Coordinates of all heavy atoms in Angstrom, one line a residue:
T54 N 18.1 -3.3 8.6 CA 18.9 -4.2 9.4 C 20.4 -3.9 9.2 O 20.7 -3.1 8.3 CB 18.6 -5.6 9.1 OG1 19.0 -5.9 7.7 CG2 17.1 -5.9 9.2
H55 N 21.2 -4.6 10.0 CA 22.6 -4.4 9.8 C 23.1 -5.1 8.5 O 22.6 -6.2 8.2 CB 23.4 -4.9 10.9 CG 23.2 -4.2 12.2 ND1 23.5 -2.9 12.4 CD2 22.4 -4.6 13.3 CE1 23.2 -2.5 13.6 NE2 22.5 -3.5 14.2
P56 N 23.8 -4.4 7.6 CA 24.3 -5.1 6.4 C 25.0 -6.4 6.7 O 25.8 -6.6 7.6 CB 25.2 -4.1 5.8 CG 24.9 -2.8 6.4 CD 24.4 -3.1 7.7
V57 N 24.6 -7.4 5.9 CA 25.2 -8.7 6.0 C 25.5 -9.2 4.6 O 24.7 -9.1 3.6 CB 24.2 -9.8 6.6 CG1 24.8 -11.1 6.6 CG2 23.9 -9.3 8.0
L58 N 26.8 -9.6 4.3 CA 27.2 -10.1 3.0 C 26.8 -9.1 1.9 O 26.2 -9.5 0.9 CB 26.6 -11.5 2.7 CG 27.0 -12.6 3.7 CD1 26.2 -13.8 3.4 CD2 28.5 -12.8 3.7
Q59 N 27.2 -7.9 2.1 CA 27.0 -6.9 1.1 C 25.6 -6.6 0.8 O 25.2 -5.9 -0.2 CB 27.7 -7.3 -0.3 CG 29.2 -7.6 0.0 CD 30.0 -6.4 0.5 OE1 29.8 -5.2 0.2 NE2 30.9 -6.7 1.5
A60 N 24.6 -6.9 1.7 CA 23.2 -6.6 1.5 C 22.6 -5.9 2.7 O 23.0 -6.3 3.9 CB 22.4 -7.8 1.1
T61 N 21.6 -5.1 2.5 CA 20.8 -4.6 3.6 C 19.3 -5.0 3.4 O 18.8 -4.9 2.3 CB 20.9 -3.1 3.6 OG1 22.2 -2.6 3.8 CG2 20.1 -2.5 4.8
D62 N 18.8 -5.6 4.4 CA 17.3 -5.9 4.4 C 16.5 -4.8 5.1 O 17.0 -4.3 6.1 CB 17.0 -7.2 5.1 CG 17.5 -8.5 4.4 OD1 17.9 -8.3 3.2 OD2 17.6 -9.5 5.0
W63 N 15.4 -4.4 4.4 CA 14.7 -3.3 4.9 C 13.3 -3.8 5.3 O 12.7 -4.6 4.6 CB 14.4 -2.3 3.8 CG 15.8 -1.7 3.3 CD1 16.5 -2.1 2.3 CD2 16.4 -0.5 3.8 NE1 17.6 -1.3 2.2 CE2 17.5 -0.3 3.1 CE3 16.0 0.4 4.8 CZ2 18.4 0.8 3.3 CZ3 16.9 1.6 5.0 CH2 18.0 1.7 4.3
R64 N 12.6 -3.2 6.3 CA 11.3 -3.4 6.7 C 10.6 -2.1 6.4 O 10.7 -1.2 7.1 CB 11.1 -3.9 8.1 CG 11.8 -5.2 8.5 CD 11.7 -5.6 9.9 NE 10.3 -5.6 10.4 CZ 9.4 -6.5 10.3 NH1 9.8 -7.7 9.7 NH2 8.2 -6.5 10.8
T65 N 9.7 -2.1 5.3 CA 9.1 -0.9 4.9 C 7.6 -1.1 5.1 O 7.0 -2.0 4.7 CB 9.3 -0.6 3.4 OG1 10.7 -0.5 3.2 CG2 8.6 0.5 2.8
V66 N 7.0 -0.1 5.9 CA 5.6 -0.1 6.1 C 4.9 0.7 5.0 O 5.3 1.9 4.7 CB 5.3 0.6 7.5 CG1 3.8 0.7 7.7 CG2 5.9 -0.2 8.6
V67 N 4.0 0.0 4.4 CA 3.2 0.6 3.3 C 1.7 0.8 3.7 O 1.1 -0.1 4.4 CB 3.2 -0.3 2.0 CG1 2.3 0.3 0.9 CG2 4.7 -0.6 1.6
I68 N 1.2 2.0 3.6 CA -0.1 2.4 4.0 C -1.0 2.2 2.7 O -0.7 2.8 1.6 CB -0.2 3.8 4.4 CG1 0.8 4.1 5.6 CG2 -1.6 4.2 4.8 CD1 0.6 3.3 6.8
V69 N -2.0 1.4 2.8 CA -3.0 1.2 1.7 C -4.4 1.7 2.3 O -5.0 1.1 3.1 CB -3.1 -0.3 1.4 CG1 -4.1 -0.5 0.2 CG2 -1.7 -0.9 1.1
E70 N -4.8 2.9 1.7 CA -6.0 3.5 2.2 C -7.2 3.1 1.2 O -7.1 3.4 0.1 CB -5.9 5.1 2.2 CG -4.9 5.5 3.2 CD -4.5 6.9 3.0 OE1 -4.3 7.4 1.8 OE2 -4.4 7.7 3.9
C71 N -8.1 2.4 1.8 CA -9.3 1.9 1.0 C -10.5 2.8 1.4 O -11.0 2.6 2.4 CB -9.5 0.5 1.3 SG -8.1 -0.6 0.9
A72 N -10.8 3.7 0.5 CA -11.9 4.8 0.9 C -13.0 4.6 0.0 O -13.0 4.3 -1.1 CB -11.2 6.2 0.7
A73 N -14.2 4.9 0.7 CA -15.5 4.9 0.0 C -16.4 5.8 0.5 O -16.4 6.2 1.8 CB -16.0 3.5 0.0
R74 N -17.3 6.4 -0.3 CA -18.4 7.2 0.1 C -19.7 6.5 -0.2 O -19.8 5.7 -1.1 CB -18.5 8.5 -0.8 CG -17.3 9.4 -0.6 CD -17.6 10.7 -1.4 NE -16.3 11.4 -1.5 CZ -15.7 12.1 -0.5 NH1 -16.2 12.0 0.7 NH2 -14.5 12.7 -0.7
A75 N -20.7 6.8 0.6 CA -22.0 6.2 0.3 C -22.6 6.8 -0.9 O -22.4 8.0 -1.1 CB -23.0 6.4 1.6
A76 N -23.3 6.0 -1.7 CA -23.9 6.5 -2.9 C -25.3 6.2 -2.9 O -25.7 5.2 -2.4 CB -23.2 5.9 -4.2
P77 N -26.2 7.1 -3.4 CA -27.7 6.9 -3.4 C -28.0 5.5 -4.1 O -27.5 5.3 -5.2 CB -28.3 8.0 -4.1 CG -27.3 9.1 -4.0 CD -25.9 8.5 -4.0
G78 N -28.6 4.6 -3.4 CA -28.9 3.3 -4.0 C -27.8 2.4 -4.1 O -28.0 1.3 -4.5
G79 N -26.7 2.8 -3.5 CA -25.5 1.9 -3.5 C -25.2 1.4 -2.1 O -26.0 1.6 -1.1
P80 N -24.1 0.7 -1.9 CA -23.8 0.1 -0.6 C -23.4 1.3 0.4 O -23.0 2.4 -0.1 CB -22.6 -0.7 -0.8 CG -22.1 -0.2 -2.1 CD -23.1 0.3 -2.9
A81 N -23.6 1.0 1.7 CA -23.1 1.9 2.7 C -21.6 2.1 2.6 O -20.9 1.3 2.1 CB -23.4 1.5 4.1
A82 N -21.1 3.3 3.0 CA -19.6 3.5 3.0 C -18.8 2.5 3.7 O -17.8 2.0 3.1 CB -19.3 4.9 3.5
D83 N -19.2 2.0 4.9 CA -18.6 1.0 5.6 C -18.5 -0.3 4.8 O -17.4 -0.9 4.6 CB -19.2 0.6 6.9 CG -19.0 1.6 7.9 OD1 -18.3 2.6 7.7 OD2 -19.6 1.5 9.0
T84 N -19.6 -0.7 4.1 CA -19.6 -1.9 3.3 C -18.6 -1.8 2.0 O -18.0 -2.7 1.8 CB -21.0 -2.2 2.8 OG1 -21.9 -2.3 3.9 CG2 -21.2 -3.5 2.1
A85 N -18.7 -0.7 1.4 CA -17.9 -0.5 0.2 C -16.4 -0.5 0.6 O -15.6 -1.1 -0.1 CB -18.3 0.8 -0.5
A86 N -16.1 0.2 1.7 CA -14.6 0.3 2.1 C -14.1 -1.1 2.5 O -13.0 -1.5 2.3 CB -14.4 1.3 3.2
D87 N -15.0 -1.8 3.2 CA -14.6 -3.2 3.8 C -14.4 -4.1 2.5 O -13.5 -4.9 2.5 CB -15.8 -3.7 4.6 CG -15.4 -5.1 5.3 OD1 -14.5 -5.1 6.1 OD2 -16.1 -6.0 5.0
A88 N -15.2 -4.0 1.5 CA -15.0 -4.8 0.3 C -13.6 -4.5 -0.4 O -12.9 -5.4 -0.8 CB -16.1 -4.6 -0.7
L89 N -13.3 -3.2 -0.5 CA -12.1 -2.8 -1.1 C -10.9 -3.3 -0.2 O -9.8 -3.8 -0.7 CB -11.9 -1.2 -1.1 CG -12.6 -0.5 -2.3 CD1 -12.4 1.0 -2.1 CD2 -12.2 -1.0 -3.6
L90 N -11.0 -3.2 1.1 CA -10.0 -3.7 2.0 C -9.8 -5.1 1.9 O -8.6 -5.6 1.7 CB -10.5 -3.4 3.5 CG -9.6 -4.1 4.6 CD1 -8.2 -3.4 4.6 CD2 -10.3 -3.9 5.9
A91 N -10.8 -6.0 1.8 CA -10.7 -7.4 1.6 C -10.0 -7.7 0.3 O -9.1 -8.6 0.2 CB -12.1 -8.1 1.7
D92 N -10.4 -7.0 -0.8 CA -9.8 -7.3 -2.1 C -8.3 -6.9 -2.1 O -7.5 -7.6 -2.7 CB -10.6 -6.6 -3.2 CG -11.9 -7.1 -3.4 OD1 -12.2 -8.2 -3.0 OD2 -12.8 -6.4 -4.1
A93 N -8.0 -5.7 -1.5 CA -6.6 -5.3 -1.5 C -5.7 -6.2 -0.7 O -4.6 -6.5 -1.1 CB -6.5 -3.9 -0.9
H94 N -6.2 -6.6 0.4 CA -5.5 -7.5 1.3 C -5.2 -8.9 0.6 O -4.1 -9.3 0.6 CB -6.2 -7.8 2.6 CG -5.4 -8.7 3.6 ND1 -5.6 -10.0 3.6 CD2 -4.5 -8.4 4.5 CE1 -4.8 -10.6 4.5 NE2 -4.0 -9.6 5.0
T95 N -6.2 -9.4 -0.1 CA -6.0 -10.7 -0.8 C -5.0 -10.5 -1.9 O -4.1 -11.3 -2.1 CB -7.4 -11.1 -1.4 OG1 -8.3 -11.4 -0.3 CG2 -7.2 -12.3 -2.2
R96 N -5.1 -9.4 -2.6 CA -4.2 -9.1 -3.7 C -2.8 -9.0 -3.3 O -1.8 -9.4 -4.0 CB -4.7 -8.0 -4.5 CG -4.0 -7.6 -5.9 CD -4.5 -8.3 -7.1 NE -5.9 -8.2 -7.4 CZ -6.5 -7.5 -8.3 NH1 -5.7 -6.6 -9.0 NH2 -7.7 -7.5 -8.6
L97 N -2.5 -8.3 -2.2 CA -1.2 -8.0 -1.7 C -0.6 -9.0 -0.8 O 0.7 -9.0 -0.7 CB -1.2 -6.6 -1.1 CG -1.6 -5.4 -1.9 CD1 -1.5 -4.2 -1.1 CD2 -0.8 -5.3 -3.2
H98 N -1.4 -9.9 -0.2 CA -0.9 -10.8 0.7 C 0.2 -11.8 0.1 O 1.2 -12.1 0.7 CB -2.0 -11.7 1.2 CG -1.5 -12.7 2.3 ND1 -1.2 -13.9 2.1 CD2 -1.3 -12.5 3.6 CE1 -0.8 -14.5 3.2 NE2 -0.9 -13.6 4.1
D99 N 0.0 -12.1 -1.2 CA 1.0 -13.0 -1.9 C 1.7 -12.3 -3.0 O 2.1 -12.8 -4.0 CB 0.2 -14.2 -2.5 CG -0.4 -15.1 -1.5 OD1 0.3 -15.4 -0.4 OD2 -1.5 -15.6 -1.6
F100 N 1.9 -11.0 -2.8 CA 2.5 -10.1 -3.8 C 3.9 -10.7 -4.1 O 4.7 -11.0 -3.2 CB 2.6 -8.7 -3.1 CG 3.4 -7.7 -3.9 CD1 3.0 -7.3 -5.1 CD2 4.7 -7.3 -3.5 CE1 3.6 -6.3 -5.9 CE2 5.4 -6.4 -4.2 CZ 5.0 -5.9 -5.5
A101 N 4.3 -10.7 -5.3 CA 5.7 -11.0 -5.8 C 6.0 -10.0 -6.9 O 5.1 -9.7 -7.8 CB 5.6 -12.5 -6.4
A102 N 7.2 -9.6 -6.9 CA 7.7 -8.7 -7.9 C 9.2 -8.9 -8.2 O 10.1 -8.6 -7.5 CB 7.6 -7.3 -7.5
P103 N 9.4 -9.8 -9.3 CA 10.8 -10.0 -9.6 C 11.6 -8.7 -9.8 O 11.1 -7.8 -10.3 CB 10.7 -10.8 -10.9 CG 9.3 -11.3 -10.9 CD 8.5 -10.3 -10.2
G104 N 12.9 -8.8 -9.4 CA 13.7 -7.7 -9.6 C 13.7 -6.7 -8.5 O 14.4 -5.6 -8.6
L105 N 12.8 -6.7 -7.4 CA 12.7 -5.8 -6.4 C 13.4 -6.2 -5.1 O 13.3 -5.5 -4.1 CB 11.3 -5.4 -6.1 CG 10.6 -4.6 -7.2 CD1 9.1 -4.2 -6.7 CD2 11.3 -3.3 -7.5
G106 N 14.0 -7.3 -5.1 CA 14.7 -7.8 -3.9 C 13.6 -8.2 -2.8 O 13.9 -8.1 -1.6
L107 N 12.4 -8.5 -3.2 CA 11.4 -8.8 -2.2 C 11.6 -10.0 -1.6 O 11.8 -11.1 -2.2 CB 10.0 -8.8 -3.0 CG 8.8 -9.0 -2.1 CD1 8.5 -7.8 -1.3 CD2 7.6 -9.4 -3.0
L108 N 11.5 -10.0 -0.2 CA 11.7 -11.3 0.7 C 10.3 -11.7 1.1 O 10.0 -12.9 1.0 CB 12.7 -10.9 1.8 CG 14.0 -10.6 1.4 CD1 14.9 -10.2 2.6 CD2 14.7 -11.6 0.5
Q109 N 9.5 -10.8 1.6 CA 8.2 -11.2 2.1 C 7.3 -10.1 2.4 O 7.8 -9.0 2.7 CB 8.2 -12.2 3.3 CG 8.6 -11.5 4.6 CD 8.6 -12.4 5.8 OE1 9.1 -13.5 5.7 NE2 8.2 -11.9 6.9
V110 N 5.9 -10.3 2.4 CA 5.0 -9.3 3.0 C 4.7 -10.0 4.4 O 4.2 -11.2 4.4 CB 3.7 -9.3 2.1 CG1 2.7 -8.3 2.8 CG2 4.1 -8.7 0.7
T111 N 4.9 -9.4 5.5 CA 4.8 -10.1 6.7 C 3.3 -10.2 7.1 O 2.4 -9.6 6.5 CB 5.5 -9.2 7.9 OG1 4.8 -8.0 8.0 CG2 7.0 -9.1 7.5
D112 N 3.1 -11.0 8.1 CA 1.7 -11.4 8.6 C 1.3 -10.4 9.7 O 0.3 -10.7 10.4 CB 1.6 -12.7 9.0 CG 1.6 -13.8 7.8 OD1 1.2 -13.4 6.8 OD2 2.1 -14.9 8.0
D113 N 1.9 -9.3 10.0 CA 1.6 -8.4 11.1 C 0.9 -7.2 10.6 O 1.1 -6.1 11.2 CB 2.9 -8.1 11.9 CG 3.9 -7.3 11.1 OD1 3.8 -7.2 9.8 OD2 4.9 -6.9 11.8
A114 N 0.0 -7.4 9.7 CA -0.8 -6.2 9.1 C -1.8 -5.7 10.2 O -2.2 -6.4 11.1 CB -1.6 -6.6 7.9
T115 N -2.1 -4.4 10.1 CA -3.0 -3.7 11.0 C -4.0 -3.0 10.1 O -3.7 -2.6 8.9 CB -2.4 -2.8 12.1 OG1 -1.8 -1.7 11.3 CG2 -1.4 -3.5 12.9
V116 N -5.2 -2.8 10.7 CA -6.2 -2.0 9.9 C -6.8 -1.0 10.9 O -7.1 -1.2 12.0 CB -7.4 -2.9 9.5 CG1 -8.5 -2.0 8.8 CG2 -6.9 -4.0 8.5
E117 N -6.9 0.3 10.4 CA -7.5 1.4 11.1 C -8.7 1.9 10.4 O -8.6 2.1 9.2 CB -6.4 2.5 11.4 CG -7.0 3.7 12.2 CD -5.9 4.7 12.4 OE1 -4.7 4.3 12.5 OE2 -6.2 5.9 12.4
W118 N -9.8 2.2 11.1 CA -11.0 2.6 10.4 C -11.2 4.1 10.7 O -11.0 4.5 11.9 CB -12.2 1.9 10.9 CG -12.1 0.4 10.5 CD1 -11.4 -0.6 11.2 CD2 -12.7 -0.2 9.3 NE1 -11.6 -1.7 10.5 CE2 -12.4 -1.5 9.3 CE3 -13.4 0.4 8.3 CZ2 -12.8 -2.4 8.4 CZ3 -13.9 -0.5 7.3 CH2 -13.5 -1.9 7.4
D119 N -11.6 4.9 9.7 CA -11.9 6.3 9.9 C -13.2 6.6 9.2 O -13.5 6.1 8.2 CB -10.8 7.2 9.2 CG -11.0 8.6 9.4 OD1 -11.4 9.0 10.5 OD2 -10.7 9.4 8.5
H120 N -14.0 7.4 9.9 CA -15.4 7.7 9.4 C -15.6 9.2 9.4 O -15.1 9.9 10.3 CB -16.5 7.0 10.3 CG -16.3 5.6 10.5 ND1 -16.7 4.7 9.6 CD2 -15.7 4.9 11.5 CE1 -16.5 3.4 10.0 NE2 -15.8 3.6 11.2
D121 N -16.4 9.7 8.4 CA -16.8 11.1 8.4 C -18.1 11.2 7.8 O -18.5 10.2 6.9 CB -15.7 11.8 7.6 CG -15.8 13.3 7.8 OD1 -16.7 13.8 8.6 OD2 -15.1 14.1 7.1
A122 N -18.9 12.2 7.9 CA -20.2 12.3 7.3 C -20.4 13.8 7.1 O -21.4 14.4 7.6 CB -21.3 11.8 8.2
D123 N -19.6 14.5 6.2 CA -20.0 15.8 5.9 C -21.3 16.0 5.1 O -22.3 16.2 5.6 CB -18.8 16.5 5.1 CG -17.6 16.8 6.0 OD1 -17.8 17.0 7.2 OD2 -16.4 16.8 5.4
D124 N -21.2 15.7 3.8 CA -22.4 15.6 3.0 C -22.9 14.2 2.8 O -24.1 13.9 2.8 CB -22.1 16.3 1.6 CG -21.8 17.8 1.7 OD1 -22.4 18.4 2.8 OD2 -21.2 18.3 0.9
T125 N -21.9 13.3 2.6 CA -22.3 11.9 2.5 C -21.4 11.1 3.5 O -20.3 11.5 3.7 CB -22.1 11.3 1.0 OG1 -20.8 11.6 0.6 CG2 -23.1 12.1 0.1
A126 N -21.9 10.0 3.8 CA -21.1 9.1 4.7 C -19.8 8.7 4.0 O -19.8 8.4 2.8 CB -21.9 7.9 5.1
Y127 N -18.7 8.7 4.7 CA -17.3 8.3 4.2 C -16.7 7.4 5.2 O -16.6 7.6 6.3 CB -16.5 9.6 4.0 CG -15.1 9.5 3.8 CD1 -14.6 9.3 2.5 CD2 -14.2 9.4 4.9 CE1 -13.2 9.1 2.4 CE2 -12.8 9.2 4.8 CZ -12.3 9.1 3.4 OH -11.0 8.9 3.3
T128 N -16.0 6.4 4.6 CA -15.3 5.4 5.4 C -13.9 5.2 4.8 O -13.9 5.0 3.5 CB -16.0 4.1 5.7 OG1 -17.2 4.3 6.4 CG2 -15.1 3.2 6.5
C129 N -12.9 5.2 5.5 CA -11.6 4.8 5.0 C -11.0 3.7 5.9 O -10.9 3.9 7.1 CB -10.6 6.0 4.9 SG -9.0 5.6 4.3
A130 N -10.7 2.5 5.4 CA -10.1 1.4 6.1 C -8.6 1.5 5.6 O -8.3 1.2 4.5 CB -10.7 0.1 5.7
T131 N -7.8 1.7 6.6 CA -6.3 1.9 6.2 C -5.6 0.6 6.7 O -5.4 0.3 7.8 CB -5.7 3.1 7.0 OG1 -6.5 4.3 6.6 CG2 -4.3 3.3 6.7
L132 N -5.0 0.0 5.7 CA -4.3 -1.2 5.9 C -2.8 -0.9 6.0 O -2.3 -0.3 5.1 CB -4.5 -2.2 4.7 CG -3.7 -3.5 4.6 CD1 -4.0 -4.4 5.8 CD2 -4.1 -4.2 3.3
R133 N -2.1 -1.3 7.0 CA -0.7 -1.1 7.1 C 0.0 -2.4 6.9 O -0.2 -3.3 7.8 CB -0.3 -0.5 8.6 CG -0.8 0.8 8.8 CD -0.6 1.3 10.2 NE 0.9 1.3 10.5 CZ 1.5 2.4 10.3 NH1 1.0 3.5 9.8 NH2 2.9 2.4 10.6
L134 N 0.8 -2.6 5.9 CA 1.5 -3.7 5.5 C 3.0 -3.5 5.8 O 3.6 -2.4 5.5 CB 1.3 -4.2 4.1 CG 0.0 -4.6 3.7 CD1 -0.1 -4.8 2.2 CD2 -0.5 -5.9 4.4
T135 N 3.7 -4.6 6.2 CA 5.1 -4.5 6.3 C 5.7 -5.4 5.2 O 5.5 -6.6 5.2 CB 5.7 -4.9 7.7 OG1 5.1 -4.0 8.7 CG2 7.2 -4.7 7.8
V136 N 6.6 -4.8 4.4 CA 7.2 -5.5 3.3 C 8.7 -5.6 3.6 O 9.3 -4.6 3.9 CB 6.9 -4.9 2.0 CG1 7.6 -5.6 0.9 CG2 5.4 -4.7 1.7
V137 N 9.3 -6.8 3.6 CA 10.7 -7.0 3.8 C 11.4 -7.1 2.4 O 11.0 -8.0 1.6 CB 11.0 -8.2 4.6 CG1 12.5 -8.4 4.9 CG2 10.3 -8.1 6.0
H138 N 12.3 -6.2 2.1 CA 13.0 -6.3 0.8 C 14.5 -6.0 1.0 O 14.9 -5.5 2.1 CB 12.3 -5.4 -0.2 CG 12.2 -3.9 0.3 ND1 13.0 -2.9 -0.3 CD2 11.5 -3.3 1.2 CE1 12.7 -1.8 0.3 NE2 11.8 -2.0 1.3
R139 N 15.3 -6.2 0.0 CA 16.8 -6.2 0.1 C 17.3 -5.2 -1.0 O 16.8 -5.1 -2.1 CB 17.3 -7.6 -0.1 CG 18.8 -7.7 -0.1 CD 19.2 -9.1 -0.1 NE 18.9 -9.7 1.3 CZ 18.8 -10.9 1.6 NH1 19.0 -11.9 0.6 NH2 18.5 -11.4 2.8
T140 N 18.4 -4.5 -0.5 CA 19.1 -3.6 -1.5 C 20.7 -4.1 -1.3 O 21.0 -4.6 -0.2 CB 19.0 -2.2 -1.2 OG1 19.5 -1.9 0.1 CG2 17.6 -1.7 -1.3
P141 N 21.5 -3.8 -2.3 CA 23.0 -3.9 -2.0 C 23.3 -2.9 -0.8 O 22.7 -1.9 -0.7 CB 23.5 -3.6 -3.3 CG 22.5 -3.8 -4.4 CD 21.2 -3.5 -3.7
A142 N 24.2 -3.3 0.0 CA 24.6 -2.5 1.1 C 25.0 -1.0 0.8 O 24.7 -0.2 1.6 CB 25.7 -3.2 1.9
A143 N 25.5 -0.8 -0.3 CA 26.0 0.5 -0.7 C 25.0 1.4 -1.5 O 25.4 2.5 -1.8 CB 27.3 0.3 -1.5
T144 N 23.9 0.8 -1.8 CA 22.9 1.7 -2.6 C 21.6 1.5 -2.1 O 21.3 0.6 -1.3 CB 23.0 1.3 -4.1 OG1 22.3 0.0 -4.2 CG2 24.4 1.1 -4.7
L145 N 20.6 2.3 -2.6 CA 19.2 2.1 -2.3 C 18.5 1.5 -3.5 O 17.2 1.7 -3.6 CB 18.6 3.4 -1.9 CG 19.2 4.0 -0.6 CD1 18.5 5.4 -0.3 CD2 18.9 3.0 0.5
Q146 N 19.2 0.9 -4.4 CA 18.5 0.3 -5.5 C 18.1 -1.1 -5.1 O 18.8 -1.8 -4.3 CB 19.5 0.2 -6.8 CG 19.8 1.6 -7.3 CD 18.5 2.4 -7.7 OE1 17.7 1.9 -8.5 NE2 18.4 3.5 -7.1
P147 N 17.1 -1.7 -5.7 CA 16.7 -3.1 -5.4 C 17.8 -4.1 -5.7 O 18.6 -4.0 -6.5 CB 15.5 -3.3 -6.3 CG 15.0 -2.0 -6.8 CD 16.2 -1.1 -6.8
W148 N 17.8 -5.2 -4.9 CA 18.6 -6.3 -5.1 C 18.2 -7.1 -6.3 O 17.0 -7.4 -6.3 CB 18.5 -7.2 -3.8 CG 19.5 -8.3 -3.8 CD1 19.3 -9.6 -4.3 CD2 20.8 -8.4 -3.3 NE1 20.3 -10.4 -4.1 CE2 21.3 -9.6 -3.6 CE3 21.7 -7.4 -2.7 CZ2 22.6 -10.0 -3.1 CZ3 22.9 -7.8 -2.3 CH2 23.4 -9.1 -2.6
N149 N 19.1 -7.4 -7.1 CA 18.6 -8.2 -8.3 C 19.3 -9.6 -8.2 O 20.3 -9.9 -7.8 CB 19.1 -7.6 -9.6 CG 18.2 -6.4 -10.0 OD1 17.0 -6.5 -9.8 ND2 18.8 -5.3 -10.3

Side-chain angles (χ1 to χ4, degrees):
T54 63
H55 297 291
V57 177
L58 300 175
Q59 306 302 318
T61 301
D62 290 349
W63 300 88
R64 294 179 55 84
T65 298
V66 175
V67 180
I68 305 296
V69 182
E70 297 168 315
C71 302
R74 294 185 197 289
D83 284 354
T84 303
D87 188 62
L89 281 178
L90 172 66
D92 291 344
H94 183 267
T95 298
R96 186 84 54 101
L97 298 179
H98 186 267
D99 295 320
F100 173 73
L105 287 183
L107 184 70
L108 300 176
Q109 74 176 38
V110 177
T111 66
D112 288 331
D113 60 352
T115 62
V116 177
E117 180 179 328
W118 295 86
D119 183 35
H120 306 275
D121 195 4
D123 287 334
D124 292 333
T125 57
Y127 164 87
T128 298
C129 184
T131 302
L132 174 65
R133 294 175 61 91
L134 295 173
T135 302
V136 180
V137 181
H138 57 109
R139 178 171 288 164
T140 65
T144 77
L145 293 179
Q146 294 304 305
W148 183 271
N149 286 317

